[in-house]
Amino acid sequence: QKEVEQNSGPLSVPEGAIASLNCTYSDRGSQSFFWYRQYSGKSPELIMSIYSNGDKEDGRFTAQLNKASQYVSLLIRDSQPSDSATYLCAVMNTGNQFYFGTGTSLTVIP
Amino acid sequence: GAVVSQHPSRVICKSGTSVKIECRSLDFQATTMFWYRQFPKKSLMLMATSNEGSKATYEQGVEKDKFLINHASLTLSTLTVTSAHPEDSSFYICSAGVHYEQYFGPGTRLTVT
């Protein structure tokens, strides 16, 4: 079983819609969770971190964490074409090891 | 804050030569830095963890004699690709941690001809 799993997509949403990206992880004791955005040909950029159960909002982005279900998600409201990128979920496990998912490709259609 | 730089951003070299890539944390000290490689349309692959003042820890399958890592100071780690071959052509990215968060450098695109 992989440490972090994501649906590779591609996920397509129309401009203005909500994009929902999902991630599951295997180490139940993990405490730190991150979402990165990677544009084609560029390096990943940290957009959200979340450490507690529940929702964390930052502008159009909301990260949701459910430790009981070992599930973390990212919602992007009012999606824009500029949000088209690959979104990487990352988890720091109980051994302080950092694991990335394979990423979900998002396309926002104008 | 938490800015990580890499140099060079692009490099083309001939097969058999060595290439050095620098990773610097500009506004913080990093006892640990990470080196990743990414092939086109593929996910990030962790190559090694670079520890200041000690030997790097390499992931399984990564040749430590081919990918030399030096972390001589709290703000600089270097990756040297020795005797590069065309199959080493890839996007190399470093990252450094601040508390629990990792910040990535802009990456170095290596092309071996």
Side-chain angles (χ1 to χ4, degrees), chain A residues 1 11 19-20 43 49 55 75 100:
Chain A
Q1 182 185 9
L11 173 67
S20 177
S43 65
S49 57
D55 294 1
L75 301 178
F100 283 90

Side-chain angles (χ1 to χ4, degrees), chain B residues 14-83:
Chain B
K14 293 187 183 297
S15 187
T17 62
S18 295
V19 173
K20 180 186 283 188
I21 303 169
E22 292 186 349
C23 176
R24 292 182 186 273
S25 56
L26 296 186
D27 51 1
F28 64 100
Q29 293 182 329
T31 54
T32 303
M33 292 183 174
F34 303 89
W35 287 97
Y36 294 85
R37 179 168 56 182
Q38 188 174 37
F39 293 107
K41 299 192 186 300
K42 299 294 185 184
S43 59
L44 286 171
M45 187 193 84
L46 178 65
M47 299 176 66
T49 301
S50 169
N51 302 298
E52 189 268 336
S54 64
K55 291 183 179 181
T57 304
Y58 290 83
E59 295 300 302
Q60 192 172 8
V62 178
E63 300 174 61
K64 62 181 180 181
D65 294 331
K66 180 170 182 63
F67 298 99
L68 301 178
I69 291 172
N70 184 283
H71 193 154
S73 77
L74 288 172
T75 59
L76 173 64
S77 176
T78 61
L79 167 69
T80 301
V81 183
T82 63
S83 187

Side-chain angles (χ1 to χ4, degrees), chain A residues 50-106:
Chain A
I50 185 166
Y51 306 99
S52 304
N53 273 330
D55 294 1
K56 179 181 178 182
E57 187 174 316
D58 184 1
R60 295 186 295 111
F61 298 98
T62 299
Q64 299 175 316
L65 175 61
N66 183 327
K67 291 184 180 180
S69 300
Q70 295 174 236
Y71 176 93
V72 58
S73 65
L74 180 70
L75 301 178
I76 306 174
R77 290 183 300 282
D78 187 23
S79 295
Q80 301 297 308
S82 58
D83 295 326
S84 298
T86 296
Y87 289 81
L88 302 169
C89 171
V91 176
M92 181 179 285
N93 69 5
T94 50
N96 285 336
Q97 294 170 305
F98 215 86
Y99 289 94
F100 283 90
T102 54
T104 299
S105 175
L106 171 67

Side-chain angles (χ1 to χ4, degrees), chain A residues 32 34 36 38 40-46 48-49 51 56 88 92 96 98 100-103, chain B residues 6 34 36 38 41-44 46 91 93-94 98-107 109:
Chain A
S32 307
F34 310 90
Y36 288 82
Q38 186 176 24
S40 180
K42 302 293 184 183
S43 65
E45 171 192 12
L46 179 65
M48 291 285 285
S49 57
Y51 306 99
K56 179 181 178 182
L88 302 169
M92 181 179 285
N96 285 336
F98 215 86
F100 283 90
T102 54
Chain B
Q6 270 183 257
F34 303 89
Y36 294 85
Q38 188 174 37
K41 299 192 186 300
K42 299 294 185 184
S43 59
L44 286 171
L46 178 65
F91 191 42
I93 315 171
C94 71
V98 178
H99 302 298
Y100 299 118
E101 299 174 344
Q102 276 197 41
Y103 292 88
F104 286 87
R109 191 161 302 283

